[in-house]
Amino acid sequence: MKNKYWIPIYIILQCTWGILQTFLGFVIFLLLIKRPHEFYNGSIKTKWNHHGGVSCGLFIFVTDENAGITTPETCNKLSVHEYGHTIQSIILGPLYPFVIGIPSVAWGNLPKFTKLREEKNVPYSACFSESWADRLGEKVTGMESIW
């Protein structure tokens, strides 16, 4: 992160305007307290043994590159994407769970959408919330996102 003043502003906004999703992220963080954690551009990144990632306000949860599920490069790109969701949290505040959270979870997990992506070769980034997260993550971090 090039702007050192961004991180305290980011944390304050996540803990106020984005408190709903940050609280949920904190609960998940506590459940995964024994997993590896690190700071990531102001967020708290937790590595888990699941394929994929989740973003909840100040907290992001991504595949652990040491779990043998995927490559370190893919894990880094996933971190950029999930960080993009944290920027959406700052933009939308209390609307985030409804505008981004629910559509993202549905798009990523409902069998209907999984089947659509597999059979029609629809990219994951076809969902507005996912492509927006990619663009925001890339813009803010200066690194490449996953989709």
Side-chain angles (χ1 to χ4, degrees):
M1 185 65 47
K2 293 176 183 168
N3 186 340
K4 65 182 178 180
Y5 300 109
W6 165 247
I7 292 176
I9 294 167
Y10 171 89
I11 293 169
I12 290 168
L13 288 172
Q14 293 292 9
C15 292
T16 55
W17 182 236
I19 192 65
L20 295 175
Q21 47 275 20
T22 294
F23 179 75
L24 176 61
F26 181 66
V27 170
I28 298 168
F29 171 83
L30 290 177
L31 293 172
L32 299 170
I33 197 70
K34 293 184 179 182
R35 297 296 307 156
H37 311 284
E38 62 187 58
F39 286 104
Y40 185 83
N41 297 318
S43 70
I44 299 167
K45 179 169 87 170
T46 299
K47 298 176 182 181
W48 61 7
N49 288 331
H50 298 289
H51 184 73
V54 172
S55 174
C56 295
L58 186 61
F59 300 88
I60 61 174
F61 306 91
V62 297
T63 306
D64 187 344
E65 66 271 7
N66 298 317
I69 299 171
T70 190
T71 67
E73 180 185 3
T74 299
C75 293
N76 290 335
K77 289 179 178 183
L78 181 60
S79 296
V80 172
H81 172 79
E82 293 304 329
Y83 191 75
H85 282 304
T86 74
I87 303 303
Q88 291 171 329
S89 169
I90 288 173
I91 293 168
L92 296 169
L95 298 176
Y96 176 87
F98 309 102
V99 176
I100 302 298
I102 293 170
S104 275
V105 169
W107 179 248
N109 296 294
L110 288 180
K112 174 183 179 178
F113 295 129
T114 302
K115 185 177 176 183
L116 173 72
R117 289 193 308 275
E118 290 172 358
E119 291 180 358
K120 305 282 185 184
N121 205 23
V122 174
Y124 195 78
S125 60
C127 179
F128 77 95
S129 61
E130 304 307 323
S131 59
W132 187 24
D134 283 337
R135 288 191 311 274
L136 288 171
E138 288 178 348
K139 176 100 172 145
V140 175
T141 66
M143 296 184 297
E144 185 180 351
S145 186
I146 194 151
W147 291 290

